[in-house]
Amino acid sequence: MERHGSFVLQGNIIYTPDKDHFITLKNGYIVVEEGRISAICATKPAAAAALPLKDCRGKLIMPGFADLHLHAPQYIQIGMGMDDQLLDWLNRYTFKEEPKFADPDYARQIYPLLAEELADCGTTSASIFATIHPESTDILCDILAQKGLRTYVGKVNMDNNSAPALTEDTAQSLSDTEAFIKKWHKHPLVKPIITPRFVPSVTAGMMTGLGKLVREYNVPVQSHLSENKGEIQLVKELFPEDQYYMSVYDRFDLFGTTPTLMAHCIHLSEEEIAIMARKDVYAVHCPASNLNLASGLMPLRRMLDAGVKVVLGSDIGGGHTLFIPHEIVRAIEISKIRSIDHPEEAPLKLCEAFYLATKAGGSFFGQTGSLEPDYSADFLVVTLPIFQQDRTIEEQLQYFIYHGRAQDIEDVYVQGRPVKHTDKPAV
Ligand code: GUN
Ligand code: FE
């Protein structure tokens, strides 16, 4: 009898236990018991006698992808205003789109489309910005929970320098945030994350209140950091006494007091990179967004060498794809372009970029993002064209990352439960 989320799956297994290696197992077995991986073996395990066996021979089995930075309300503005840089783009597009989520019915129409596409693309964990609106943010959480995706969701805080329709009363914003934390922090899959939009959007009073919530409820934090040169200049003007952009967050306990995600981190000095490493703050690299908004080329190799945890994000709608393999390729491309003028910065290898998108990203959520015992059974089954069947498993992964599509992802599991299932005939 099938226990919930308990089965054995046979297929071509590939994962990265560390950033420098792939491990592959041809037609190996993954034993899943109650949503966790209990064993990975080359020969048929004894457990297979008692559990249903899913035959995926010839297909790739890989960890699900982690998208550590995206804006749910921007799902419908993808591709808009890409001739602008960050601050103009925010004012001309984003700050006109996001007020629409004051209407919960609008959220009910849009957010299911995003949840569907995330699962379709094999994203099993994500950290998401909603909007300032409590009701729509709850709706987003309900939809993600129903879909079964492992997520952090932030009710965005904004009380400064924003469009009138997106400018909150500070006290109201803080009490809405506290209510949101209380409602979601015990949920097994969808959890709250404190989300000041970025330094220019929040007052010192707001950050003081958010820091208090961080300490009281021990919740993680996400925001943006050093994305665009105009933005950095604006932060200097708004907070002239702070040495660095990150010093502002840090001063209010929003920078590594609890697990922290900072999107972009492009224009950083060696000292700032060292502080990020010391404080264990994650840098979320968003390659498509950084190119679309002409923000810059993140010094990814320098950050890895300094010991910063780097992960990947789609940053839609600054980015234009939820399909993380495309971000993996773009991260590699950007690192190659950087290495032309910075020969000491070795380009990223595929296994490194894959690691950022799986095990490194997954680490923000606990034990997910790898195919190792005790990890959550969050993985994908990927089909390949017949003419790729004779290649090594590593070559098949290369093909999928560079030329695969969401349609090639046949099944997606989170905690051993299907969040996407298609019945394709075996090749
Ligand atoms: N900085 C502040 N808000 C945003 C946003 O919505 N997108 C990006 N890319 N950067 C931001
Ligand atoms: Fe962003």
Side-chain angles (χ1 to χ4, degrees), residues 12-15 30 60-65 325 354 358 371 378-382 396-397 400-401:
N12 289 336
I13 293 166
I14 183 159
Y15 63 98
I30 299 185
L60 286 177
I61 318 293
M62 67 186 75
F65 299 118
F354 187 79
T358 54
L371 302 182
D378 302 352
F379 52 73
L380 320 178
V381 178
V382 172
Q396 289 178 339
L397 183 83
F400 169 66
I401 296 295

Side-chain angles (χ1 to χ4, degrees), residues 158-225:
M158 301 169 74
D159 67 345
N160 208 9
N161 298 310
S162 303
L166 287 179
T167 303
E168 300 176 285
D169 171 75
T170 311
Q172 184 67 48
S173 176
L174 291 169
S175 73
D176 288 346
T177 305
E178 183 166 13
F180 176 69
I181 293 168
K182 282 184 170 159
K183 178 155 183 195
W184 289 98
H185 80 296
K186 293 220 168 84
H187 194 280
L189 274 180
V190 179
K191 292 182 183 296
I193 182 164
I194 288 187
T195 306
R197 182 176 205 116
F198 66 159
V199 164
S201 297
V202 278
T203 59
M206 179 76 91
M207 286 187 274
T208 304
L210 293 176
K212 203 161 151 260
L213 292 176
V214 163
R215 293 190 301 275
E216 192 169 336
Y217 293 95
N218 193 28
V219 262
V221 175
Q222 63 180 354
S223 195
H224 296 89
L225 180 71

Side-chain angles (χ1 to χ4, degrees), residues 304-318:
L304 287 178
D305 287 349
V308 178
K309 285 185 180 140
V310 184
V311 296
L312 295 185
S314 66
D315 193 28
I316 61 152

Side-chain angles (χ1 to χ4, degrees), residues 268-280:
L268 297 180
S269 62
E270 292 304 324
E271 296 78 36
E272 289 168 287
I273 292 174
I275 295 169
M276 286 196 80
R278 184 155 42 78
K279 297 223 152 218
D280 230 6

Side-chain angles (χ1 to χ4, degrees), residues 168-363:
E168 300 176 285
D169 171 75
T170 311
Q172 184 67 48
S173 176
L174 291 169
S175 73
D176 288 346
T177 305
E178 183 166 13
F180 176 69
I181 293 168
K182 282 184 170 159
K183 178 155 183 195
W184 289 98
H185 80 296
K186 293 220 168 84
H187 194 280
L189 274 180
V190 179
K191 292 182 183 296
I193 182 164
I194 288 187
T195 306
R197 182 176 205 116
F198 66 159
V199 164
S201 297
V202 278
T203 59
M206 179 76 91
M207 286 187 274
T208 304
L210 293 176
K212 203 161 151 260
L213 292 176
V214 163
R215 293 190 301 275
E216 192 169 336
Y217 293 95
N218 193 28
V219 262
V221 175
Q222 63 180 354
S223 195
H224 296 89
L225 180 71
S226 295
E227 175 178 6
N228 169 284
K229 290 192 174 169
E231 168 212 15
I232 294 167
Q233 185 55 36
L234 180 57
V235 171
K236 273 206 184 96
E237 287 161 20
L238 291 167
F239 291 91
E241 326 84 75
D242 287 281
Q243 190 175 10
Y244 304 121
Y245 187 156
M246 61 180 60
S247 316
V248 185
Y249 294 127
D250 195 20
R251 186 149 63 81
F252 296 101
D253 277 338
L254 300 170
F255 200 75
T257 299
T258 51
T260 302
L261 298 169
M262 284 288 153
H264 307 300
C265 307
I266 300 172
H267 308 284
L268 297 180
S269 62
E270 292 304 324
E271 296 78 36
E272 289 168 287
I273 292 174
I275 295 169
M276 286 196 80
R278 184 155 42 78
K279 297 223 152 218
D280 230 6
V281 169
Y282 285 70
V284 190
H285 182 31
C286 305
S289 170
N290 295 167
L291 296 175
N292 287 333
L293 296 171
S295 301
L297 305 176
M298 190 226 220
L300 201 152
R301 176 62 66 195
R302 270 173 45 212
M303 301 192 81
L304 287 178
D305 287 349
V308 178
K309 285 185 180 140
V310 184
V311 296
L312 295 185
S314 66
D315 193 28
I316 61 152
H320 61 281
T321 176
L322 283 166
F323 189 55
I324 292 296
H326 289 164
E327 297 289 1
I328 291 176
V329 173
R330 251 180 224 106
I332 294 170
E333 290 171 343
I334 288 179
S335 76
K336 287 176 178 169
I337 293 168
R338 269 199 73 94
S339 76
I340 296 168
D341 286 330
H342 304 272
E344 72 287 1
E345 295 181 24
L348 207 61
K349 291 180 292 175
L350 180 67
C351 64
E352 293 180 295
F354 187 79
Y355 175 84
L356 302 188
T358 54
K359 192 169 180 179
S363 72

